[in-house]
Amino acid sequence: MQILFERVAFIGIGLIGSSMARAMRRDGTVNTIVACARRAETRETALRLKVADSVTADYAEAVKGADLVVIATPIGTNEEIAKIIAPHLKAGCVVTDVGSVKQAVVDAVAPHLPKNVHFVPGHPIAGTEHSGPESGFPELFENRWTILTPLPHTDQAAVDKVATLWRTMGAKVDVMKPGHHDMVLAITSHLPHLIAYTIVGTATDLADDLRQEVIKYSASGFRDFTRIAASDPVMWRDIFLNNKDAVLEIIQRFSEDLTALQKAIRKGDGETLETLFARTRAVRRGIIDAKQA
Ligand code: NAP
């Protein structure tokens, strides 16, 4: 495989950053990888796992001479990072990110970057509930979508290069507007996480004896919610704070639908319940057919 980017800097080398680094190494698409993280433990782990050739805690030092900069930290950190790295970016370099919300990241990062670098925001729709460099693996993106949300003036060649990098990592690539991405993800990812956090929170608040039974019989459905609700608290705090409008809009619609179901149960309206459950079962079949199960 040809080298796409000679030198890559990862700002953040957790689940997503280290998975990308592993895949890039496997594919031979990059030459040198520099990783930046706050904690010495993270940096040492990145070196031990060989997901980086060198490590630093200094954002500016990390991006010096980099042809590709990947911001892979919780999105609440992105503006500060953009401000610090901006004066140290090499002319012509590509800056990308992996944040789960796109409009807020574009607003936070783009204004600080110099005109001679190319910003290609991205979001791999792949992940697990685990965090940190040790949880990464190179196959994470295989057959999963990555959404790129370039700005209207973003250089097409830079977008194509980032798309090629993702495709080489096994991902399928779509391009869309940041606001559209945020609305789609609010329903497919953010609301399900909010529901999981709520259900697990409600169960935790129940009396002690009942809580033990909740764990004992969790295979009846609860268990799947606990996996989602085990996702990183800081990352998810930032997602809800940064996709506020879309999430509030989806919660409103969800509440209306929930109220309708509540009413159907109260009235003993089995037909409404069965019709919905049959429709949702078909959705699951569609996901399996699309190999996204
Ligand atoms: P992660 O495993 O927790 O890794 C985060 C990395 O960022 C770590 O290397 C961490 O190291 C560093 N970091 C955390 N706070 C920082 C700060 N204030 N300044 C500098 N570095 C910091 O997280 P992740 O799952 O890879 O998520 C990273 C990004 O990917 C997030 O924006 C998230 O929205 C997006 N994403 C996540 C998933 C998923 O399922 N997890 C899927 C798609 C996209 P130190 O703590 O040592 O600094």
Side-chain angles (χ1 to χ4, degrees), residues 11-17 36-39 42 59 72-75 77 81 98-100 123-124 126-128 130-133 135 232 235 239:
I11 308 291
I13 189 82
L15 170 70
I16 301 296
C36 177
R38 294 166 306 175
R39 289 177 300 138
T42 312
Y59 301 133
T73 51
I75 46 190
T77 64
I81 289 169
V98 295
S100 310
H123 176 207
T128 73
H130 303 296
S131 308
S135 57
D232 188 72
M235 167 181 150
I239 288 173

Side-chain angles (χ1 to χ4, degrees), residues 20-191:
M20 291 177 73
R22 285 172 166 97
M24 289 170 178
R25 281 237 196 277
R26 175 198 63 196
D27 303 337
T29 47
V30 306
N31 223 339
T32 307
I33 299 177
V34 183
C36 177
R38 294 166 306 175
R39 289 177 300 138
E41 188 194 337
T42 312
R43 299 194 296 275
E44 280 155 20
T45 308
L47 279 181
R48 178 170 51 78
L49 297 171
K50 298 191 170 51
V51 292
D53 300 295
S54 63
V55 290
T56 173
D58 184 337
Y59 301 133
E61 189 190 320
V63 304
K64 264 182 206 153
D67 303 288
L68 174 71
V69 175
V70 183
I71 304 176
T73 51
I75 46 190
T77 64
N78 288 186
E79 180 159 26
E80 186 61 17
I81 289 169
K83 277 189 205 164
I84 296 172
I85 64 172
H88 306 279
L89 294 167
K90 179 165 128 180
C93 94
V94 175
V95 177
T96 190
D97 80 300
V98 295
S100 310
V101 177
K102 295 278 47 98
Q103 188 64 59
V105 169
V106 169
D107 294 346
V109 173
H112 302 290
L113 299 184
K115 297 250 178 306
N116 61 3
V117 309
H118 310 293
F119 183 36
V120 184
H123 176 207
I125 315 292
T128 73
E129 67 278 25
H130 303 296
S131 308
E134 264 167 316
S135 57
F137 54 100
E139 301 83 13
L140 178 63
F141 311 109
E142 236 144 72
N143 207 27
R144 296 280 171 257
W145 285 99
T146 287
I147 299 176
L148 302 181
T149 63
L151 313 182
H153 59 269
T154 307
D155 178 38
Q156 190 56 44
V159 178
D160 292 345
K161 216 166 162 189
V162 173
T164 302
L165 182 71
W166 279 109
R167 288 197 185 99
T168 312
M169 290 192 278
K172 302 183 284 181
V173 176
D174 248 349
V175 174
M176 63 178 73
K177 292 206 165 75
H180 186 70
H181 163 279
D182 291 350
M183 205 60 183
V184 172
L185 269 290
I187 182 66
T188 56
S189 170
H190 307 170
L191 182 67

